[in-house]
Amino acid sequence: MKRAKIPDVFKTRKKPKIQQQTSEDWGEEDSGSAVPTDCQAALMYLRSLINVEALDRRIPPIIIKHQLYNVIKNRTHVDKQVNELRDSKEIKLLKLGTGPDEFSIVFTKDYVEHVNKQLPDRPVVKRFLSSIVEKTNSVSVDKRMLVDHLEFKDEEITELVNGGVLNVRDVGSWWIAVPGAGYFIRHFTKGRDAILRTIRNSKYKQILLRELETRDLKATKTLGMQYHIQEILGSGSVSKFDTTSGTMVRIDS
């Protein structure tokens, strides 16, 4: 079998030119030489899979953290670099409700641009972005931080909750959130369910990866088939193995 060409994005740490590719372009059937080792480049690749135009620009590009585990095989390396990017404020780790223990990733620049577009000309939002989003690596905030340290008033916190940048976590604490996240979660869930149902209904609950990639599933069009494939593989919802016909994906349970 002809070896997959290593994408240019992973030949250097310089800012890459991202191109949309299929799973086989990433060496799914190769010996592993095409597996990237740079988490930032992997994030940029996953970001490039999202068709923001199809989403009417209602959300920023959102990456599910475990998608990285399919692109970069070393989970420890992924977790270490995600923490480094988070500490450098380049990305935000967010709890969006895609899974009980799962976090999502948004580039900080994308998050700030999205919030400013959705909630323009609001002084309390600008304070929130400058004092929390751009200066901390926090996933959540509590009343002590907001009121005692940053001097937000109760009515301002309410405004942030109503604006969708804070979601209630517990009494006196809030998750940092994305305005319009519910729209993303609906499309994410529908697309994921459609792909898993397709595999489950296939013979022996398995299908060739390249065949799955060509399936015309309406529910996957918004986020994109490749986006969903990276997610189900990274989450362990399906397993994959090589056959003489190509890479096969299977639901084991």
Side-chain angles (χ1 to χ4, degrees), residues 176-193:
I176 295 176
V178 177
Y183 181 77
F184 166 79
I185 292 170
R186 285 195 300 274
H187 286 285
F188 169 81
T189 302
K190 288 179 180 179
R192 188 178 200 275
D193 290 347

Side-chain angles (χ1 to χ4, degrees), residues 108-242:
T108 303
K109 181 180 178 181
D110 289 335
Y111 181 90
V112 171
E113 288 179 353
H114 173 71
V115 172
N116 279 326
K117 179 182 177 182
Q118 298 297 317
L119 305 168
D121 304 321
R122 296 196 187 187
V124 66
V125 172
K126 293 187 181 300
R127 280 182 59 207
F128 167 79
L129 292 174
S130 62
S131 62
I132 297 175
V133 173
E134 297 178 321
K135 289 186 179 180
T136 76
N137 63 3
S138 300
V139 176
S140 63
V141 292
D142 58 25
K143 193 164 186 177
R144 179 180 178 185
M145 178 182 183
L146 288 175
V147 176
D148 296 345
H149 293 285
L150 299 175
E151 299 182 347
F152 281 87
K153 299 176 182 178
D154 287 343
E155 57 268 27
E156 291 177 322
I157 295 174
T158 299
E159 183 177 348
L160 293 173
V161 172
N162 292 338
V165 294
L166 292 179
N167 281 340
V168 175
R169 177 183 183 180
D170 205 341
V171 178
S173 68
W174 300 264
W175 295 111
I176 295 176
V178 177
Y183 181 77
F184 166 79
I185 292 170
R186 285 195 300 274
H187 286 285
F188 169 81
T189 302
K190 288 179 180 179
R192 188 178 200 275
D193 290 347
I195 290 184
L196 293 177
R197 185 165 54 250
T198 297
I199 301 172
R200 191 174 290 111
N201 291 339
S202 299
K203 189 175 182 180
Y204 305 125
K205 297 183 180 180
Q206 62 187 37
I207 188 173
L208 283 170
L209 180 58
R210 63 169 173 261
E211 180 183 343
L212 179 63
E213 290 172 336
T214 62
R215 288 293 180 94
D216 186 21
L217 302 179
K218 183 178 179 181
T220 67
K221 291 186 180 301
T222 302
L223 290 175
M225 178 64 81
Q226 282 298 320
Y227 183 91
H228 288 290
I229 287 175
Q230 294 290 344
E231 190 278 321
I232 62 172
L233 288 170
S235 68
S237 299
V238 300
S239 59
K240 64 179 179 180
F241 56 96
D242 292 333

